[in-house]
Amino acid sequence: MDVIIIDEQPHRRLSLFERLRNSDITALAVGDVTRARASCHENGGAVSVIIVGGCGAHGPVMVSQVKNEWPTLDVFATGDASDVRAAVDAVRYGAVDYFAFPTDSTALVSAVRNALERARRRPASPANGGADNELEEAITFDPATRAVFERAERAAAVDSTVLITGESGTGKEVLARHMYRRSPRRRRRFVPVNCGAVPETLIETELFGYKKGAFTGAVANGKGLIDEAEGGVLFLDEIGDMPPPMQVRLLRFLDRGEVRAVGATEVKRADVRVIAATNRCLAADIRDRRFREDLFFRLSVVSLHLPPLRERRGEILPLLSYYVRRAARRFGVDEPTIAPEAIDILHSYHWPGNIRELQNALEQAVVQQSSGAITPRDLPDRLFEPAVSAPAPRERRTPVERTDEIVVSLLRQYNGNHTETAAALGISRSTLWRRLRRINATLPEPSLPAPDSVIA
Ligand SMILES: Nc1ncnc2c1ncn2[C@@H]1O[C@H](COP(=O)(O)OP(=O)(O)OP(=O)(O)O)[C@@H](O)[C@H]1O
Ligand SMILES: [Mg+2]
């Protein structure tokens, strides 16, 4: 969780929530300071920015309450463009800035993003060092995912480098943080670097740091991310996008555990565990000489592959209820149920964007619905389009079979509780009971997905 929005008007807080979500900023929207306090507590205090929305006469009071409660957080205020008094008072009471919403929303988003970046660079206290502000616990219902997580847990204690592969949105970072939290390094930092997002010219100074005078503007020594991860874990995301000259330097660092800052003559020892991830096929990149084979072997001492969501459909239902509950809590609305027809669509869609896509679709649905139930109408249009590639044979099932599976996994998810399962399905308990009796008689053994594979 990055941001809490406090605004007493639901439509205003939802619209700002959506605006942030579209910019990939995770937020929670609540109606008052008391709820904000509870949510902040639930999130282990891992919030960096609070936005006080709709500031009129009460705005400044709210800003000062928030500042009292969370003196170190950045507080932004939003309100009417014409309400100069509210703007001046909000800033006087401790807001960093005031934005007219929605007219200034682009400026607000970039201010929030800068604040989050500053927060990320602040050294974390050991208590929340690299706290995973996203997930309390990864959902791993499918045997294949379970196996990957179990292997990861066994490897967590050993200090070897790790390479995680998998399509975009399959949970590579979640798995990396899972290992970190179970490793002896959990008291130090987890430092993520997106190797694809840092410009080629900057990645060396970003990673290794620089010496005063190394280039124009280097007026003092600069720390690199490897320094920041000292004692902890450096997560090299999108490692396949790392430019070849940097691959050589990284390999040297992994082999010798030594760092030389840009412009420095001396080397320093670094105690950092590297976990790398990629959604590319590194085997092809090695063949095309875009990725060094020696670096690949050095990184993949432990190799973990996360299957795409369409190959672990058993996880879809638990993920649905997890993300609907979470979205409802975030928007401050009652948790809606999911209509069986909507479950059917969500369950059979091929999810090219994997768990991230599912999460976004559900957040959108929770915002869209107003009747207390998510229906197919509330789902994004693309879920109704046919998959581009032909579905794998095991996905081509008759609707009846699929619905039976849904019943069974919902039942499992609600720990066998018939009342809750029936409610989630929108049917009566007796219908559910008859249904289960029939399923019991017909359900085939579930086919086990392919075992965890290592990239070839
Ligand atoms: N096992 C899981 N249980 C619940 N949520 C998950 C799980 N795995 C991933 N997610 C959620 O899915 C989203 C994507 O996860 P993550 O960022 O780890 O994917 P990724 O593989 O790194 O994707 P990308 O390649 O696009 O960076 C996140 O919001 C994460 O919280
Ligand atoms: Mg990622």
Side-chain angles (χ1 to χ4, degrees), residues 134-135 138-139 168-174 319 323 355-356 359:
E134 265 290 289
L135 273 185
I139 289 170
S168 180
T170 46
K172 297 185 293 295
E173 181 158 351
V174 165
L319 284 166
Y323 281 117
I355 304 181
R356 180 173 296 110
Q359 180 185 343

Side-chain angles (χ1 to χ4, degrees), residues 76-96:
F76 293 99
T78 73
D80 224 44
S82 58
D83 200 342
V84 178
R85 185 78 256 160
V88 171
D89 282 346
V91 172
R92 181 179 299 151
Y93 281 98
V96 181

